[in-house]
Amino acid sequence: MDDEDSLLPLQAASVNYRIAVGPDTGKKVFALQTLPAKDEQHYGQLAQINGFSLHAGVFADSHQTDKLERLCRYISRPALSEQRLSLTDSGKVRYQLKTPYQDGTTHVFFTPLDFIGKLAALVPVPRLNLTRFYGVFAPNAKVRAEVTASQRGKNSPRLAEHLKDSDKPYHARSMSWAQRLKRVFNIDITVCEACEKTNVKIITCITDPAVIHKILAHLDKQTLLEAKNDSLMPPLRAPPATASFSDYIIQRDFDFGA
């Protein structure tokens, strides 16, 4: 089975709170309910439909920097908290929820093997976008250009003049890796570090191991030659100290009987 396909049953079991591996595969995960259940009227702005849930109780305006920082910290938090993770006397993995569920669940229990399966379900699938847009923010939405700051998409007012005299259809192109590095990490790879000139372009991408080893060996050889040339230079030292006889007189004959 392909690696990507093998993650699908783990992800499905994790979302449905089912046991994915082991002799109890398909059964519900054991949960501990210590609080009374809440009804929909007292749980906040939460909507659930077709297996998806949307919580609209947390929002922040553009000028509320403290709320934006708190929201960013929440988004960038790790998937699990080690402080709320522990082992029971029977060898079960116990995880305490930060916020109780609607039915009053505060703790969930897993077998060690099933817990590893839950962790594997959190691993992002390679070559798959983790951020997906729906509705008016979808890539092919007709009004996407009207509700986004960049005005990208179909019927974009920025491209109206460009496409006026053109018969070619518009195809939105994503940012290049150089643009992404510049935007996210403020690293501009188009600027040469040696001469500080711009418009540096990637000539080729070398993937052959033999060629890579040859280039690295050549660079190591150049480094050794430069170090050897530096070692041939005589060591720097101060000029030799010369004795000065102008400050005292040497007497060769002494009259000790005087």
Side-chain angles (χ1 to χ4, degrees):
M1 184 180 295
D2 189 17
D3 292 339
E4 298 181 9
D5 295 336
S6 61
L7 289 176
L8 296 179
L10 296 179
Q11 294 173 349
S14 179
V15 172
N16 296 322
Y17 290 92
R18 300 282 180 175
I19 299 177
V21 292
D24 298 331
T25 301
K27 296 183 179 179
K28 292 284 292 185
V29 174
F30 180 75
L32 183 62
Q33 300 176 356
T34 59
L35 296 176
K38 295 182 179 181
D39 53 6
E40 296 182 357
Q41 297 180 357
H42 298 84
Y43 196 72
Q45 300 176 351
L46 178 66
Q48 293 183 351
I49 183 173
N50 296 332
F52 294 91
S53 62
L54 174 63
H55 184 256
V58 179
F59 57 90
D61 294 332
S62 58
H63 65 278
Q64 296 175 327
T65 56
D66 54 341
K67 286 188 176 182
L68 291 175
E69 181 181 359
R70 193 182 310 116
L71 184 59
C72 293
R73 289 179 179 272
Y74 173 76
I75 295 174
S76 60
R77 76 193 191 284
L80 294 176
S81 174
E82 296 182 359
Q83 287 76 15
R84 300 196 302 270
L85 188 65
S86 60
L87 285 175
T88 62
D89 296 337
S90 60
K92 296 283 187 178
V93 179
R94 176 178 56 198
Y95 188 72
Q96 180 183 0
L97 303 178
K98 181 179 180 180
T99 304
Y101 290 156
Q102 295 184 25
D103 56 0
T105 301
T106 57
H107 297 77
V108 287
F109 297 81
F110 310 95
T111 62
L113 183 60
D114 187 47
F115 182 70
I116 295 177
K118 294 293 187 294
L119 294 180
L122 298 176
V123 178
V125 180
R127 299 178 297 277
L128 183 65
N129 294 329
L130 300 181
T131 304
R132 303 180 183 181
F133 298 94
Y134 181 77
V136 295
F137 294 103
N140 294 326
K142 295 182 179 180
V143 296
R144 187 177 189 273
E146 301 178 8
V147 297
T148 56
S150 60
Q151 298 183 351
R152 295 179 56 190
K154 295 182 178 180
N155 304 325
S156 174
R158 289 186 177 183
L159 300 173
E161 297 295 333
H162 177 71
L163 299 178
K164 181 182 297 184
D165 300 332
S166 177
D167 298 334
K168 297 181 180 180
Y170 166 70
H171 296 284
R173 293 181 296 179
S174 60
M175 292 186 296
S176 62
W177 281 107
Q179 294 173 341
R180 296 179 189 274
L181 288 175
K182 176 65 176 179
R183 179 178 179 180
V184 178
F185 300 104
N186 198 20
I187 299 176
D188 193 356
I189 63 174
T190 61
V191 178
C192 180
E193 297 180 356
C195 60
E196 298 183 355
K197 292 184 178 180
T198 57
N199 298 328
V200 177
K201 298 180 180 180
I202 299 177
I203 300 176
T204 183
C205 181
I206 302 175
T207 58
D208 189 0
V211 180
I212 295 175
H213 286 299
K214 187 175 181 180
I215 294 176
L216 294 178
H218 175 72
L219 295 177
D220 291 340
K221 185 178 179 180
Q222 293 292 333
T223 304
L224 292 176
L225 289 177
E226 293 177 0
K228 185 177 180 181
N229 293 333
D230 294 339
S231 63
L232 293 178
M233 297 179 60
L236 299 178
R237 61 181 182 179
T242 57
S244 177
F245 300 99
S246 60
D247 295 337
Y248 59 91
I249 299 174
I250 300 178
Q251 294 183 357
R252 298 181 181 273
D253 299 328
F254 296 92
D255 189 1
F256 294 98

